[in-house]
Amino acid sequence: MVTNSAQRRARGRNRQAGFTLMELLVVLVIVGLLAAFVGPILYQRISPAKQTAARAQIEGFTTALDTYLIDVGQYPTTEQGLTALRRNPGAGGWNGPYLRKEIPADPWGNLYVYRAPGRSGGFEIVSFGADGLEGGSGDAADVESWQN
């Protein structure tokens, strides 16, 4: 009898030692359903965040360009570009650098486009969005300095 009850206890412990295949499948289905519902919501939040980051960077360039204007008396030309905020393009009165770090790419990895004179007068800065082409909507929508 002693061996019989010891065997039953050992079998009981072995059954409780792990998960059954069915339990693992149920957990995987639940995790998959959560990912299917949460994934698209998170993806929808990424695009507006990148556009907000581009607007913030453009605003920082605008502040630096205004300081450059005060020191030099005019905005950098299109040819001088935004690099005139980091390195003196030979302008008298330049008191830079006006940005602490090098000119970053936009949140999609493309270069910002700087034009002076711009559509609204002094200058314009544009990020062409995810597709890197002028125009577009959604992720590919342009972020423009005159619309901030």
Side-chain angles (χ1 to χ4, degrees), residues 24 39 45 55 60 63 83-85 97 99-100 104 118 123 125 128-129 137:
L24 289 174
R45 302 257 184 218
R55 282 189 192 89
T63 302
T83 57
L85 299 174
L99 295 173
R100 290 185 195 167
F123 66 87
I125 305 171
F128 290 134
S137 61

Side-chain angles (χ1 to χ4, degrees), residues 56-75:
Q57 284 180 329
I58 288 173
E59 190 63 35
F61 296 148
T62 300
T63 302
L65 285 164
D66 288 340
T67 306
Y68 181 98
L69 173 67
I70 292 168
D71 289 349
V72 176
Q74 66 183 28
Y75 290 115

Side-chain angles (χ1 to χ4, degrees), residues 47-130:
S47 177
K50 285 187 175 184
Q51 290 178 349
T52 301
R55 282 189 192 89
Q57 284 180 329
I58 288 173
E59 190 63 35
F61 296 148
T62 300
T63 302
L65 285 164
D66 288 340
T67 306
Y68 181 98
L69 173 67
I70 292 168
D71 289 349
V72 176
Q74 66 183 28
Y75 290 115
T77 64
T78 301
E79 293 76 28
Q80 292 169 335
L82 293 173
T83 57
L85 299 174
R86 292 282 303 153
R87 287 180 283 292
N88 188 348
W94 191 88
N95 195 21
Y98 298 96
L99 295 173
R100 290 185 195 167
K101 298 179 181 177
E102 290 299 320
I103 310 298
D106 70 9
W108 298 275
N110 303 315
L111 296 177
Y112 285 97
V113 175
Y114 171 80
R115 297 181 192 120
R119 295 179 196 181
S120 62
F123 66 87
E124 65 181 68
I125 305 171
V126 182
S127 166
F128 290 134

Side-chain angles (χ1 to χ4, degrees), residues 29-51:
V29 167
I30 291 171
V31 168
L33 287 172
L34 284 172
F37 288 119
V38 173
I41 293 170
L42 289 176
Y43 181 74
Q44 290 173 354
R45 302 257 184 218
I46 291 172
S47 177
K50 285 187 175 184
Q51 290 178 349

